[in-house]
Structures are given as C-alpha cells and as structure tokens.
Amino acid sequence: MKRTPLIRALAVGATLSLVAACGSDGDESSDGKTTISWWHNSNNDPGKAYYEQVAKDFEADNPDVDIKIDAQLHEDMLTKLDAAFQSGDVPDIYMERGGGELADHVEAGLTRDLSESSADLISDIGGSVAGWQTDDKTYALPFSVGVVGFWYNTELFEQAGITEAPTTWDDMYAAIDQLKAAGIEPIAVGAGDGWPAAHYWYYFSVRECSEEVLTDAVTSLDFSDECFLRAGEDLEELIAAEPFNRGFLSTPAQEGPTSASGLLATGKVAMELQGHWEPGVMQGLTEDEQGLGDKTGWFAFPTVEGGEGDPTAALGGGDAWAVSADAPDEAVDFVNYLLSEEVQKGFAERDMGLPTIPAATGSVTDPALASLIEVRDSAPYVQLYFDTAFGASVGGAMNDTIELMFAGEATPEDIVEATQTAADAEK
Amino acid sequence: MTVSTGGTTGAATSSAPVAPRPTRRRGQRARTALEVLFFVGPALALFLVFVVWPIVKAVQFSLYRWKGFGPLQDFVGLDNFRNVLQNDVFVDAFTHNMVIVVLSILVQLPLGLAIALLLNRRMRGQGLLRTIIFVPYVLSEVIAGVVWFQLLQPQYGVADSLLDSVGLHGPEQGWLGTPDYALYTVFVVLTWKYLGLAVLLFLAGLQGIPDDVVEAAQMDGASWWQIQWRITIPLIGPTIRIWAFLSMIGSIQLFDMVWILTGGGPANSTTSMATFLVTEGTKRQNYGIAAAASVILFVVALVMALVYQLLVLRRDSHALAAGGLR
C-alpha cells in the first residue's frame, strides 16, 4: 500500500517539529544555579568588557548565581524590549528610561518595586531618582543621568568673534547674527526625527514654567498654564530668526555625516542642542573618531527674561536598571551591586556615562562629561524629557506638533491643544 | 495534478466487476483527500497562521485601547475607528496614497508603454538598455531609498550640487524637506524604482503578439503608429490591466520608500496609511488605533481590489477561460 509511507512521512515531520520546539526550551539552569538574564546596550568596549567583568565578580561572590548577559545595539534592544513586554517574557534586569513609559509598565505589573530592597541606594542617588518613581515608589535605579545643553564648536565661535558663551537669549540672538555674518550656519537641529526639535519647546517650558507647574503637569496631565503658551511663543521667535541648518526639516538627529550631529562634528555648523551622549555620537561620525576633539564646548540653555522657571534648572534624562516582576531576588542584589560605589566608579572611569552615586561622580575623566555633572548636580531639579515623562502617546502628539511649528504650520496654541487632547485620551 | 491522476486510474479500472467498485472508489477518494491535505496542508497552515490569524487579531486589537503589553481589557468599541477617521493626519495619509495611485497610472503607464514599444524594436544595445531600465526594480527598496536620500540632501547632495552648477537652486529646505515638494519627490523616486517592472511586463506582452497580425496590417498599409495604436496596445490590454492592478495595490500599501526617505515628514506631508499605523503603533504605543488603521487599510485595499476585479479584470479572465475552452 502506498498510504503507509505517506503517513510515516507525516509522522516523521510532526515528530521533527516537536523536537525542534523542545530544543528552544532551555531557560532553567541544569546545575541548580539561579539564572539571571541581563540586557544592556553597552555593546562596545570598554563598556561591554567592563560589564562582563562586573558580572563575573558578582558570580564569584555568589557562586549559586549565573548571569546571562545580552549586550545589544541600543535600537535593537528597544525593539526587543517592546516585544518582551508584549509577550510578558521580560528579562530579569533591563533598562528603563522612566516617566510615563515606566508608569505603564508598572501599571501592567511588569516591573518590581525596589523602594525597600534598595532604600539606601535610593537616598544616595537623591533627586535624580524622581523620574523613576510613581506613587512614591521607586521602580528602577538610575545609573546615568545627563542634561541637555548646547554643544558648540569653539573654533567657529572664535571665528565669528564670539568671546563668551551666551547665557541669555539676547546673547544668543547676538551670537546667531554674528555667526551668520561670518557665513557660518549657527545651529543644527535634527527636526526630521522630531525629538531634537521638541527639546527646544521642552527647554523653553522649563525656563518659562515653575517647577510646581511642571511637576503637576506630569501627574494631572493639565497643560492649561499660560507658561506653556509662552514657551511656544519663544520658540516661534527663535524659528523666525532662521538660525537652523539648511534642510533641517528632513535632517536626522544622528545618523550619518549629514545628520545634525554629523554637521556639528564635521565643522559645518556652530552648535546643536543635544544630550550628554553627543561627544560619543560625534566621535562615531568622524573618520578620525575624535568628533570635535578639543574644539568641543558646552553651554547651558540660555535663560529667558521674565520666565518663572529656575534659571539653573535643567532638562535631561538617563537610564536606570529595572527588575522584572517575576525575577528572582538575586536580580535585586545584582542591581544593588551595579549601583555600588565600586561599580559606579569603574563606570565613571571608563566615561560610560554620568554616574549618579555621589561618591563616584569625581571619577569621571572626560572634561566635557565632568562639567555636565557639575551642571546637573547644581541644578535644583532635572526635568525628565517631556516625551519620556508624559509617555509615548502624549509625547508623540507633542513632538509632532512642535515639528509642525518648525515647518511654520502650527501656533503655540496648537502645541498645547494637541498635547492636551492626547493627554485627555489617557485619563 | 493529484486529482486528475486519481480520475484516470478510476477510468482505467472501469471495466472491473461492479461489486468491488464502491470500496475501491472510497479508498481512492480517501487517498486523494489525504494527498490533497498533504500538499495543501503546509501552505494552508502558513496562510492561516501568518495571514488569517493576524487579521483576526488586528480586528480584535482595534476594539481595545491597548499599549502593546499587559492584558487586553479596555474595550472601547469603535472609538479607535472614529479616532482614526477623524484624524487629519490619517485623512491626509489616505489622500497621499490616492495621489500616488493616480499619479502612478497617469505617469508610469504612458512612460512604460513608450519605453517598451521603443525597446521592442530591433536596435543596437537593446539588451543593455533593457537591463538598465530594469535594474532599479531589482535593487532592495531600502538600499534605493538610502541612495536617493543621500542624492537629495539639501546643499551637500548630488541633486542640489548639479542644480547649483548650472545656476539653478533647489528649494531652501531641500527636495525632501519642503512640505510642498516632498510627496512628489518621493513619487519621482518610486517611478524610477518601479518603471522597470512596467516596462518588463509590457515587453513580455508585446513579445506574445503574433507577427502575422502585424504583418497583415502592414500589408494593408497601416503606419507604425496605427499598428501600435490599433493593434499592439489593444492586444496587450490584459497585461496593462494586470500591471495597473499591481501598481494600485502597491501604492495603497506604500511604506518602505516613504519610511526611508522622509519617515512621513516634513510636517506629515508624505505620510501614507502604512506609515501612519506604524508610527501610532510602535512609536506612540497606541496599538488599538494602529490596529484600527490597519483594518481600514485592509478594507480599502480589499474593496479596491474587488471592484477592479469585477469591473476590469473579469473581462480578461472570461476571455482567458473562453480561450482555454477553445
């Protein structure tokens, strides 16, 4: 009969697929050790090697723990994390950017409350931890927090005859005129990606709004205060002065030499408003891997006359270690170890970021990063990037309308209205 | 194939005694069914898992407010659909898709036909020219997009440098950065990319036209133009209609090229329905809204395909069936 081989073939096929399905199941450790999975984005040396060493040190002190590191490219990690949150199979230790995003994860019961198990560290870190708290509970420990400011090319400033970095917007407009007169494009902005343009509105809001208004807005999602309108008017005025690079509406933030960071790194524009990662990004965009090198300068977002915000307040954000809800207790121990003075010092010495434990901040060797820490630590508070703080949905609507303003198609009222509409949908 | 083999075997054994026939038939039928299942099964399984199931899930998601993780519990009925249909960005995106659909047919059809007719004549370098026209279609869309993105950079790009060198100036914000031009710039790149397919299909259609028809027309004194207009083009009608169908569906689902060139910007001037739903879903985590947009996109594509099938393609398939019977 011909039927038999057919059925046998089917049976073999079915068995093979079963075997294949079983082959991927290997999460449980066979030797009785507790396995902790850890995802991070330091996929280059020195960070990658350092974290491997840190894990080994911890394993040496805790012989029954096995740490499985997965170092990924940042963008890949974000995509894979989204998928992990959807499936509920979240790595034991992963990175959280805080704000509304974290609040959503907390609400979905994906993230572990660290308030008690890491109480000492939380008080060590101080104010920076606020972005990772909801309802007075702490869900992640920030290990690097930076601030946004203007990165500039000292040589081009000199060439234009600008002797001092601007501190007020009057200075800034004067500097823009001087640069233009010298034939230099003043500011690069990656409005094609949205968020670099949005940072301007965020920062004008930080200058125009008092801390109370901003803190309230995060919880009440109420943007009716006049100061948000004034921020839009300030931005409109800046855009009208035409300080931005040609084609800024389609310029990406940091991909390739014609991106905003690339233009700054190659000396095509004089400055760019960017986060603390800018020197590293610029190094990756230049052939000699030096970025702007010793021509790199930094100054804080200029103050706005009559603004209700503290003139030294800063806009910023960072990364924190979070522990997934169903992770073993050892994962919490490891996160506490990651925030220990020892590990944070090593982190600082390798210029991997801006450490948050005060005892480690002195170990940063890069002068640009060291000066940022100074600014960060002397700021009365660091306002988390609005799009992170308010969550992806509100942040996305906000960024989109700010981008429209850069294209001359939205008014200050439009920004507030679009943001409020998206926020009301969240309530 | 399997079925017809079973049929012939049945016919060959028809002279066998009457009594055992039903059992043998039943055995045959079971075997045939098993064989059909064996050959169709894998494809059917893939189709169910990767096409039907996602559609069902998308419809389900579209009825909830959902951030992409956690349980589905915030049932909102048709709110997401209302939200999408009232969203200016989505309405604009739909308009952009339609502009591309219409422009593709208005521009690529005559252009593709002209090139195909030209390349159908005997001439030197015919093979080379055909290859050159067809190469962009073979290129991966992402690679083509990145290359064009670089060419179209304001100030530093090749396009602007060339214009500058002849004393003209591109738009201040660049071709892709000016809201008024961006969609048309994307369309130019799409035409460059997909013209090769139109030309290839039309050429294949032209090759299928029997020489004797053309020769007969020549004998009757028809000019070259008359032959193309009265004979060749009507004869490749079915090919043209199939191409227009493919082009239409491709334009409705437009995503990759827009995503690479502009990401939907500047100021949402190039969004397509597909970029809208990806932005809402993965960037803003409004998966319910994204799912509603995807369902709308699916319905739009399905309705257009069915209408086209009924009004235009049915003639061709009827003709084909009639031809087959003859």
Side-chain angles (χ1 to χ4, degrees):
Chain A
M1 284 299 239
K2 274 183 182 167
R3 224 182 287 170
T4 343
L6 193 75
I7 288 172
R8 199 179 293 159
L10 279 174
V12 168
T15 320
L16 276 179
S17 58
L18 272 177
V19 170
C22 294
S24 62
D25 198 4
D27 280 355
E28 291 297 313
S29 184
S30 52
D31 46 5
K33 283 188 176 182
T34 310
T35 308
I36 299 174
S37 54
W38 177 27
W39 288 10
H40 67 72
N41 64 354
S42 296
N43 61 330
N44 285 316
D45 282 331
K48 193 176 179 214
Y50 180 60
Y51 278 154
E52 275 163 17
Q53 187 55 46
V54 166
K56 260 186 212 134
D57 292 348
F58 186 78
E59 283 168 351
D61 292 340
N62 302 270
D64 53 346
V65 173
D66 181 22
I67 297 171
K68 266 178 40 189
I69 303 181
D70 198 348
Q72 308 170 30
L73 190 69
H74 182 69
E75 299 297 326
D76 291 352
M77 185 184 75
L78 297 184
T79 316
K80 282 177 78 177
L81 269 178
D82 276 345
F85 289 129
Q86 281 178 28
S87 68
D89 188 15
V90 186
D92 297 327
I93 299 169
Y94 66 96
M95 283 165 75
E96 277 282 4
R97 288 175 296 192
E101 202 175 276
L102 173 65
D104 289 341
H105 296 159
V106 170
E107 203 185 327
L110 295 164
T111 309
R112 187 162 163 155
D113 177 9
L114 302 175
S115 315
E116 279 172 27
S117 49
S118 309
D120 294 347
L121 284 173
I122 292 166
S123 69
D124 272 2
I125 296 169
S128 296
V129 88
W132 288 267
Q133 288 174 325
T134 56
D135 298 336
D136 295 327
K137 284 179 185 156
T138 307
Y139 290 90
L141 304 180
F143 58 91
S144 174
V145 171
V147 293
V148 174
F150 278 100
W151 294 94
Y152 72 102
N153 185 325
T154 52
E155 204 173 75
L156 291 181
F157 265 50
E158 237 166 72
Q159 218 174 302
I162 305 164
T163 45
E164 267 177 57
T167 54
T168 67
W169 273 99
D170 289 340
D171 296 349
M172 188 69 165
Y173 282 116
I176 288 170
D177 289 342
Q178 275 173 288
L179 285 163
K180 278 185 164 178
I184 300 164
E185 282 192 318
I187 309 178
V189 60
D193 278 338
W195 57 267
H199 279 179
Y200 280 92
W201 191 79
Y202 302 171
Y203 233 136
F204 275 124
S205 300
V206 169
R207 291 282 177 265
E208 290 283 8
C209 302
S210 65
E211 187 181 355
E212 294 75 50
V213 171
L214 290 178
T215 328
D216 275 0
V218 174
T219 47
S220 66
L221 292 177
D222 176 13
F223 298 91
S224 59
D225 198 287
E226 289 271 309
C227 67
F228 291 110
L229 279 179
R230 286 203 303 275
E233 285 159 10
D234 292 340
L235 179 55
E236 242 179 357
E237 192 186 340
L238 173 65
I239 296 167
E242 298 186 351
F244 300 114
N245 61 298
R246 217 177 130 180
F248 61 86
L249 284 178
S250 58
T251 304
Q254 44 197 29
E255 286 158 16
T258 50
S259 65
S261 299
L263 291 173
L264 181 63
T266 51
K268 298 277 201 299
V269 297
M271 55 183 144
E272 189 198 356
L273 183 68
Q274 261 304 1
H276 57 276
W277 52 80
E278 185 69 356
V281 171
M282 287 199 289
Q283 282 159 16
L285 288 171
T286 45
E287 274 186 10
D288 56 8
E289 298 194 342
Q290 294 299 305
L292 270 183
D294 48 14
K295 289 180 288 183
T296 315
W298 190 91
F299 62 89
F301 195 85
T303 56
V304 174
E305 205 174 317
E308 286 158 19
D310 191 308
T312 55
L315 178 77
D319 294 310
W321 297 125
V323 178
S324 69
D326 49 5
D329 292 341
E330 285 85 348
V332 179
D333 297 340
F334 184 60
V335 163
N336 287 341
Y337 176 64
L338 282 175
L339 264 295
S340 67
E341 202 180 309
E342 181 194 344
V343 175
Q344 276 263 297
K345 269 187 178 163
F347 176 83
E349 281 160 7
R350 287 165 184 77
D351 293 324
M352 289 166 65
L354 283 70
T356 49
I357 297 290
T361 51
S363 306
V364 173
T365 52
D366 184 283
L369 289 184
S371 69
L372 280 196
I373 290 187
E374 222 168 277
V375 173
R376 180 193 76 191
D377 290 346
S378 61
Y381 71 101
V382 175
Q383 170 61 45
L384 193 60
Y385 317 116
F386 286 2
D387 48 0
T388 310
F390 299 128
S393 183
V394 180
M398 191 186 258
N399 290 2
D400 208 37
T401 326
I402 297 170
E403 208 186 322
L404 285 178
M405 176 177 268
F406 271 76
E409 295 184 8
T411 60
E413 288 80 9
D414 291 338
I415 297 178
V416 174
E417 201 186 299
T419 309
Q420 192 64 60
T421 308
D424 290 343
E426 292 280 294
K427 283 176 190 167
Chain B
M1 257 165 80
T2 352
V3 183
S4 73
T5 325
T8 19
T9 336
T13 52
S14 62
S15 60
V18 182
R21 240 177 97 188
T23 35
R24 283 198 72 171
R25 262 278 173 81
R26 211 176 295 138
Q28 281 294 350
R29 219 175 280 154
R31 199 191 130 185
T32 308
L34 200 67
E35 277 173 355
V36 168
L37 191 75
F38 178 72
F39 285 108
V40 175
L44 191 68
L46 285 178
F47 183 72
L48 287 176
V49 172
F50 291 108
V51 178
V52 175
W53 184 240
I55 293 176
V56 172
K57 286 305 264 188
V59 172
Q60 186 195 6
F61 290 158
S62 70
L63 302 175
Y64 288 83
R65 224 177 58 152
W66 188 52
K67 295 225 173 225
F69 46 79
L72 273 181
Q73 51 195 15
D74 197 354
F75 186 81
V76 292
L78 296 177
D79 270 10
N80 288 329
F81 288 92
R82 194 177 312 135
N83 192 317
V84 171
L85 292 173
Q86 287 176 350
N87 190 326
D88 290 344
V89 180
F90 183 80
V91 174
D92 283 353
F94 177 77
T95 316
H96 298 152
N97 279 112
M98 290 305 138
V99 167
I100 298 285
V101 167
V102 171
L103 277 183
S104 295
I105 292 177
L106 284 186
V107 173
Q108 292 174 10
L109 176 63
L111 207 59
L113 260 183
I115 295 174
L117 288 175
L118 207 64
L119 287 179
N120 199 34
R121 308 177 96 181
R122 287 224 170 118
M123 59 159 111
R124 199 178 288 177
Q126 195 188 36
L128 183 71
L129 280 174
R130 285 185 184 177
T131 313
I132 289 176
I133 296 276
F134 193 60
V135 156
Y137 181 70
V138 181
L139 266 184
S140 139
E141 190 141 343
V142 174
I143 292 171
V146 170
V147 169
W148 274 97
F149 179 76
Q150 296 299 340
L151 292 177
L152 292 168
Q153 279 294 309
Q155 203 169 348
Y156 307 107
V158 174
D160 273 18
S161 308
L162 281 176
L163 281 177
D164 281 350
S165 65
V166 295
L168 294 170
H169 295 287
E172 183 69 19
Q173 285 283 340
W175 296 101
L176 293 170
T178 311
D180 290 342
Y181 302 146
L183 186 66
Y184 302 103
T185 310
V186 171
F187 173 71
V188 168
V189 178
L190 283 171
T191 301
W192 171 85
K193 178 92 172 59
Y194 286 102
L195 194 59
L197 177 70
V199 171
L200 187 87
L201 285 175
F202 297 161
L203 266 178
L206 289 174
Q207 310 276 316
I209 295 174
D211 286 342
D212 44 357
V213 184
V214 176
E215 273 163 22
Q218 276 170 338
M219 299 273 272
D220 290 343
S223 70
W224 187 81
W225 270 114
Q226 282 176 318
I227 293 175
Q228 308 308 332
W229 195 246
R230 301 281 169 107
I231 297 174
T232 318
I233 293 179
L235 277 177
I236 62 165
T239 314
I240 293 179
R241 288 189 281 273
I242 283 285
W243 167 81
F245 179 70
L246 292 176
S247 162
M248 196 176 78
I249 296 299
S251 304
I252 291 174
Q253 298 179 343
L254 176 65
F255 174 74
D256 323 33
M257 195 56 89
V258 171
W259 198 248
I260 301 287
L261 287 178
T262 64
N268 296 324
S269 61
T270 58
T271 43
S272 70
M273 288 188 278
T275 66
F276 174 85
L277 77 91
V278 169
T279 310
E280 280 295 333
T282 60
K283 290 204 168 165
R284 297 196 187 169
Q285 298 188 335
N286 294 327
Y287 281 88
I289 289 177
S294 75
V295 171
I296 293 171
L297 170 59
F298 173 72
V299 169
V300 168
L302 190 70
V303 166
M304 286 184 79
L306 286 179
V307 167
Y308 194 84
Q309 194 84 32
L310 279 178
L311 295 183
V312 183
L313 288 182
R314 202 162 64 153
R315 287 195 309 175
D316 294 339
S317 44
H318 274 227
L320 206 69
L325 281 177
R326 224 183 292 138

